[in-house]
Amino acid sequence: MMRQTKERKLAARVAEIAGVSLMTVSRVFSGAASVRDETRQRVMNAAAELGYKPNVAARALRTGRSDTVGFVISSPWGLGGDFHSATFSAFESELSARGLSVFLSISSPDGRLADRVRQQILAHRCGVLVVRFDEIRPNELRELQMLGTPVVLANYLPETPEENLGLSTVGFNNGEGIVMAVRHLVALGHKRIGHLGGTPGWVDTIGRERGFRNAIAEASLPLEADWVRSCDFARAYDTGMEEMNSIFSQSIVLPTAVVCDSDEIAAGAMAAAKRWNRSLPRDFSVVGFDDTPWGAMLTPPLTSIGHSGLDLGRALGKLVLRLFNNPDAAPEIIAIRTKLVVRESTGPAPADS
Amino acid sequence: MMRQTKERKLAARVAEIAGVSLMTVSRVFSGAASVRDETRQRVMNAAAELGYKPNVAARALRTGRSDTVGFVISSPWGLGGDFHSATFSAFESELSARGLSVFLSISSPDGRLADRVRQQILAHRCGVLVVRFDEIRPNELRELQMLGTPVVLANYLPETPEENLGLSTVGFNNGEGIVMAVRHLVALGHKRIGHLGGTPGWVDTIGRERGFRNAIAEASLPLEADWVRSCDFARAYDTGMEEMNSIFSQSIVLPTAVVCDSDEIAAGAMAAAKRWNRSLPRDFSVVGFDDTPWGAMLTPPLTSIGHSGLDLGRALGKLVLRLFNNPDAAPEIIAIRTKLVVRESTGPAPADS
DNA sequence: TTGTAAGCGTTATCAG
DNA sequence: CTGATAACGCTTACAA
């Protein structure tokens, strides 16, 4: 003997209690369809009473959509630190407020990104996909474009025609941040400025290096090759210190200031400067990038270029919502501003310069 | 006129090419069912050729399961910083290696957690739910237990019978970490040790405070109420500095060392100590908690209690996999060890103590 | 505004 | 080991 009017077919029981057909229940839960307000109320009450919630699987199967967005990260560091966490938190918050769920998928960069993404889309019928990667892989990106699902690149801002990949992107104007930092140093009288860049080829690095060159040219300062170094984000503190040491030990003429691609690199540079008996900021100025909370706790507190993960996440969320509702919209490129936070690691250029 | 053998019913075409029925295709993709190896190969080849991937929505609808795990965070900070990011990354990696997808859902703690969780389960038919929260809410947790879906609490370790909520948990033995720190200080000759705790009531705080009391009792040292303060994780540096200042200015007898519930609190305490002209570690010792990378960049480098987010995430992932495959398994409580990382912010107690 | 019928892609069940 | 059939819970299309 099977259970009778009990337990089976929750939705049908909701319909029965509300005195309507199953179809009306569906209409009520699928949003703003044409249902009389009073009918809607009856259905809602019955549903609340029975604890009914629509089955997303059935809905996804029927409609081919899934109120789901994928967030794919291709990075050996996984989610990343404070900055990327903030980005994701803001993003998720923006989307969940509109009833969308977020799948988070992390892949090491050696795996094939496009495969991973395709898997996510095909498997979960994501309406939009967000992808964040450390390093540009043109081939994989070209594949993404042919997927039919809107793809948004997070934390990437093409600044030249070649860098524009025809995908929607949201990212920081990193170059502008570096330009502000250099202008700040120039205003303080610095004429010999170095740059400790991040991992070569990484998206965070490319625009910053270009920004540095532009800013140096703008100020008609010499671009001394020996003062422009690449560090490794994965060993930022150590490589920052090493490169700074190397500059101090090898260069004939020494810079009076250095702009770094991360606060950690900057911390390494500060340590190296101290080892060479430079007192900061009297003898030497350092600028970081990220404006991490702990940068302010260093001795001296670090001047840094800040970029808000929350801003990035919010903009990303809004763009994704737009694309979710209109998948055929043209790709958008959204730039988010950085801002210079001046603390005590930068000061007037030494008098003898 | 409709498209003929073209595009429609991918799975059927796979079956056709492989010369089998739809059912066999299903069996091949649903895992280790009984299919002849040679048949399986034919199906796989055909599927690869056509780019066929099973539709998870249909599968979820039919089976009621979804190869999906939910990760719900109840915190005003969202995902959290480096530590929580690492936890999640390791967790996701563990699960995706077994073909499970992870939903990440962040809710502010003022919203009702259990509602959010129930929503996730009912909507996506998650096999297991992981929940991380800052503060204990017994009522909400009791509701979670009645959900029928296995729930795992992340970053929480019950240490007393009352704290055991009957749910699976994975967390650090925070108290043990504090005990190690106090022992370290005692070994250095310190007899007057203070504690700057985190936000009262938070899971990260409770065990640490208990650990401190135990350790002080173990060493037969006085527990001076004035040296035991609560800070606020949301304003950790500032409150750490304020409380430390307050101790220096108000206490008749001063501590020679302080153990803090986070590196940020410790950084604040260090700043306060310097302001009172204490040279670290000669005049005063400070221990942090978290072993953040930047703690090593402070002046002096911070001794700290480390807890690996990666370890937590991995253990969490393994437990969740177990529960996914066996939802009726008894709740497990898994403790992960902390470790003391000694740097230069701790040294022998001042001679005059 | 509401109801009826058919079918989305998969798997449980039972038969071969 | 493999195949036929029905059903999972919902929504599109049309009818009332």
Side-chain angles (χ1 to χ4, degrees), chain A residues 4 62-63 113 130 155 160 200 223 234 245 268 270 286:
Chain A
Q4 304 275 11
R62 183 59 240 234
T63 61
L113 176 61
V130 178
N155 196 34
T160 66
L223 183 71
N245 270 332
M270 282 171 60
V286 175

Side-chain angles (χ1 to χ4, degrees), chain B residues 124-141:
Chain B
H124 297 285
R125 309 300 196 264
C126 294
V128 181
L129 248 115
V130 178
V131 179
R132 176 167 74 71
F133 52 102
D134 294 326
E135 201 169 350
I136 301 173
R137 315 244 177 148
N139 292 336
E140 297 195 351
L141 287 174

Side-chain angles (χ1 to χ4, degrees), chain B residues 40-345:
Chain B
R40 178 189 305 278
Q41 265 314 318
R42 282 212 315 278
V43 171
M44 294 295 257
N45 291 340
E49 190 182 329
L50 299 183
Y52 167 79
K53 289 265 167 45
N55 180 325
V56 292
R59 175 178 291 173
L61 172 58
R62 186 57 241 237
T63 61
R65 316 179 59 189
S66 70
D67 284 7
T68 288
V69 162
F71 198 110
V72 180
I73 296 170
S74 167
S75 167
W77 298 348
L79 212 39
D82 293 313
F83 167 72
H84 293 300
S85 287
T87 300
F88 185 86
S89 299
F91 174 77
E92 199 275 347
S93 154
E94 204 73 33
L95 264 64
S96 69
R98 306 297 163 78
L100 301 192
S101 301
V102 182
F103 258 117
L104 185 43
S105 162
I106 302 171
S107 66
S108 64
D110 49 330
R112 308 223 333 104
L113 176 61
D115 279 356
R116 185 71 181 253
V117 171
R118 180 177 295 117
Q119 173 105 7
Q120 289 272 333
I121 294 174
L122 292 174
H124 297 285
R125 309 300 196 264
C126 294
V128 181
L129 248 115
V130 178
V131 179
R132 176 167 74 71
F133 52 102
D134 294 326
E135 201 169 350
I136 301 173
R137 315 244 177 148
N139 292 336
E140 297 195 351
L141 287 174
R142 228 165 283 133
E143 293 185 55
L144 290 185
Q145 291 180 262
M146 307 190 302
L147 236 38
T149 300
V151 171
V152 178
L153 265 33
N155 197 33
Y156 177 69
L157 188 68
E159 299 182 10
T160 67
E162 302 83 55
E163 284 175 5
N164 187 337
L165 303 150
L167 294 170
S168 288
T169 68
V170 186
F172 289 96
N173 195 324
N174 283 310
E176 192 182 83
I178 297 284
V179 168
M180 288 189 293
V182 172
R183 282 188 191 146
H184 163 65
L185 291 169
V186 168
L188 286 168
H190 291 270
K191 294 186 163 48
R192 303 199 302 273
I193 304 173
H195 182 215
L196 299 185
T199 309
W202 283 30
V203 291
D204 285 329
T205 304
I206 293 172
R208 297 179 193 178
E209 170 152 19
R210 184 169 36 228
F212 183 75
R213 293 178 185 280
N214 291 345
I216 291 295
E218 175 191 278
S220 307
L221 294 179
L223 183 70
E224 186 65 49
D226 203 36
W227 305 340
V228 178
R229 307 291 185 106
S230 289
C231 301
D232 178 354
F233 280 133
R235 296 177 48 246
Y237 181 83
D238 290 341
T239 53
M241 185 161 61
E242 286 159 17
E243 294 300 333
M244 198 67 238
N245 271 332
S246 161
I247 291 174
F248 277 126
S249 61
Q250 293 174 11
S251 301
I252 321 274
V253 183
L254 294 178
T256 61
V258 68
V259 178
C260 306
D261 272 10
S262 83
D263 280 2
E264 273 190 75
I265 293 173
M270 282 171 60
K274 282 178 200 167
R275 199 206 286 184
W276 285 81
N277 286 318
R278 259 67 176 179
S279 164
L280 273 61
R282 206 192 54 203
D283 307 324
F284 194 72
S285 290
V286 175
V287 180
F289 206 117
D290 289 340
D291 187 28
T292 51
W294 53 264
M297 304 178 204
L298 297 177
T299 319
L302 183 64
T303 293
S304 188
I305 300 151
H307 51 170
S308 159
L310 294 177
D311 287 349
L312 176 58
R314 270 190 290 261
L316 205 49
K318 289 189 164 66
L319 173 57
V320 165
L321 282 169
R322 245 173 288 146
L323 289 170
F324 191 90
N325 296 319
N326 180 14
D328 299 319
E332 278 184 62
I333 292 179
I334 297 176
I336 310 192
R337 305 190 82 85
T338 52
K339 77 165 196 269
L340 183 70
V341 180
V342 177
R343 296 207 184 82
E344 294 155 42
S345 67

Side-chain angles (χ1 to χ4, degrees), chain A residues 83-104:
Chain A
F83 167 73
H84 292 301
S85 286
T87 300
F88 185 85
S89 299
F91 174 78
E92 199 274 347
S93 153
E94 204 73 35
L95 263 64
S96 69
R98 306 297 163 77
L100 301 192
S101 301
V102 182
F103 261 119
L104 185 43

Side-chain angles (χ1 to χ4, degrees), chain A residues 88-128:
Chain A
F88 185 85
S89 299
F91 174 78
E92 199 274 347
S93 153
E94 204 73 35
L95 263 64
S96 69
R98 306 297 163 77
L100 301 192
S101 301
V102 182
F103 261 119
L104 185 43
S105 163
I106 302 171
S107 65
S108 63
D110 49 330
R112 307 221 337 103
L113 176 61
D115 279 356
R116 185 71 181 255
V117 171
R118 179 177 295 116
Q119 172 105 3
Q120 288 274 333
I121 294 175
L122 292 174
H124 296 288
R125 306 305 195 260
C126 292
V128 181

Side-chain angles (χ1 to χ4, degrees), chain A residues 295-350:
Chain A
M297 303 178 203
L298 297 177
T299 319
L302 183 64
T303 294
S304 188
I305 300 151
H307 52 169
S308 158
L310 295 177
D311 287 349
L312 176 58
R314 269 189 290 262
L316 206 49
K318 290 190 165 64
L319 173 56
V320 165
L321 283 168
R322 245 174 288 148
L323 288 170
F324 191 89
N325 296 319
N326 179 14
D328 298 320
E332 277 184 64
I333 293 179
I334 296 176
I336 309 193
R337 304 192 82 88
T338 52
K339 77 164 194 268
L340 184 69
V341 180
V342 177
R343 296 205 185 83
E344 294 154 43
S345 67
T346 48

Side-chain angles (χ1 to χ4, degrees), chain A residues 150-167:
Chain A
V151 171
V152 178
L153 264 35
N155 196 34
Y156 177 67
L157 188 67
E159 299 182 8
T160 66
E162 302 83 56
E163 284 175 7
N164 186 336
L165 302 151
L167 294 170

